[in-house]
Amino acid sequence: MGNQAFEHLSPERQSAIIDCGIAAFAQSGYAEVSTEAITKACGIAKGLLFHYFGSKRAYYLRCMRTALDRLMVAPLGPPEGGFYDILFAAMDQKLRLYLTCPNELRFMNLAAWDSAAEIQKDKGEVFSEYQAVTAAASAKTTALALNTLTLREPENPLVREALTLYIGAISNKFLLAYRNRPETFFHEAEAVKAQIKAHIDLMLYGIMKE
């Protein structure tokens, strides 16, 4: 298989070839990035790319998995502090990742909305794995944040469920708003936090003890 040849390369050479793909796919969608552009950036013959991966699709998916692996690093530690300290811990972690893995974040942002038919099925499977992990982490963070609140009806599961859904909806509102300009999202992180807080405060006002 083609991948066996790639695995025999040095780790440094493997990273260089994958990094070229991540950088290319961070700028344009799957269909727009040519194998000629990739191989030129990597400094390899076009035939070698197919020798290593078998197809452009397989190369793209390998780049995607590598990008996700880099973005799914373990958090620095369990979030601590008050409600918003904990709630924004995940956002702060993504900001740190943006500073160290900008191409990976741009690539995954584009990949999420890429409509190229050739990669849809396999891309969906990769994303489903990623989303399952991130959804579990997000739910855990939200639960920890809610535990810091003094609610009027602490035993009512509907209160926690409603607040969890509301927080998720507000977060998605801003993710969608910035989906085509992720760099701006991170550059405006503090302003975004203030807006998210303002939205959530409106709901907390009605369910927390005075």
Side-chain angles (χ1 to χ4, degrees):
M1 293 179 64
N3 268 336
Q4 292 180 343
F6 181 72
E7 301 304 334
H8 287 144
L9 297 176
S10 69
E12 294 77 16
R13 189 57 181 148
Q14 289 183 33
S15 292
I17 292 173
I18 296 299
D19 286 346
C20 285
I22 291 174
F25 294 122
Q27 300 302 317
S28 302
Y30 176 82
E32 288 74 32
V33 177
S34 68
T35 52
E36 288 80 5
I38 293 169
T39 53
K40 182 178 180 180
C42 293
I44 62 174
K46 182 178 178 180
L48 271 181
L49 190 71
F50 291 98
H51 177 61
Y52 291 148
F53 299 99
S55 67
K56 176 185 172 183
R57 180 184 63 82
Y59 175 63
Y60 177 90
L61 294 171
R62 177 63 178 264
C63 290
M64 176 183 282
R65 287 192 175 277
T66 300
L68 285 176
D69 286 343
R70 292 174 182 175
L71 294 174
M72 292 171 64
V73 296
L76 297 180
E80 299 177 348
F83 175 74
Y84 285 112
D85 294 319
I86 295 173
L87 198 61
F88 290 140
M91 186 173 174
D92 290 337
Q93 173 70 355
K94 289 182 179 179
L95 178 57
R96 287 190 291 269
L97 285 173
Y98 169 68
L99 297 175
T100 57
C101 303
N103 281 335
E104 286 79 358
L105 276 172
R106 292 191 194 100
F107 175 23
M108 298 318 303
N109 181 68
L110 274 179
W113 305 99
D114 198 321
S115 60
E118 187 177 347
I119 58 172
Q120 286 306 302
K121 181 177 182 296
D122 293 315
K123 185 189 75 169
E125 293 175 356
V126 174
F127 264 118
S128 66
E129 296 173 16
Y130 173 66
Q131 289 169 341
V133 173
T134 55
S138 178
K140 182 178 180 180
T141 297
T142 301
L144 288 171
L146 294 182
N147 288 339
T148 69
L149 298 177
T150 304
L151 304 174
R152 291 180 179 176
E153 300 179 45
E155 303 304 321
N156 186 346
L158 291 179
V159 173
R160 294 175 68 91
E161 181 181 353
L163 187 51
T164 299
L165 290 172
Y166 185 76
I167 291 171
I170 294 303
S171 299
N172 286 334
K173 164 187 167 69
F174 286 94
L175 288 174
L176 288 172
Y178 284 89
R179 72 177 183 230
N180 294 323
R181 46 195 182 104
E183 296 88 350
T184 306
F185 178 88
F186 292 107
H187 291 156
E188 299 177 358
E190 293 308 313
V192 172
K193 285 182 184 180
Q195 294 178 66
I196 291 174
K197 183 178 182 297
H199 283 291
I200 295 175
D201 280 347
L202 290 174
M203 185 172 188
L204 292 181
Y205 180 77
I207 63 174
M208 287 187 63
K209 287 183 178 180
E210 296 180 0

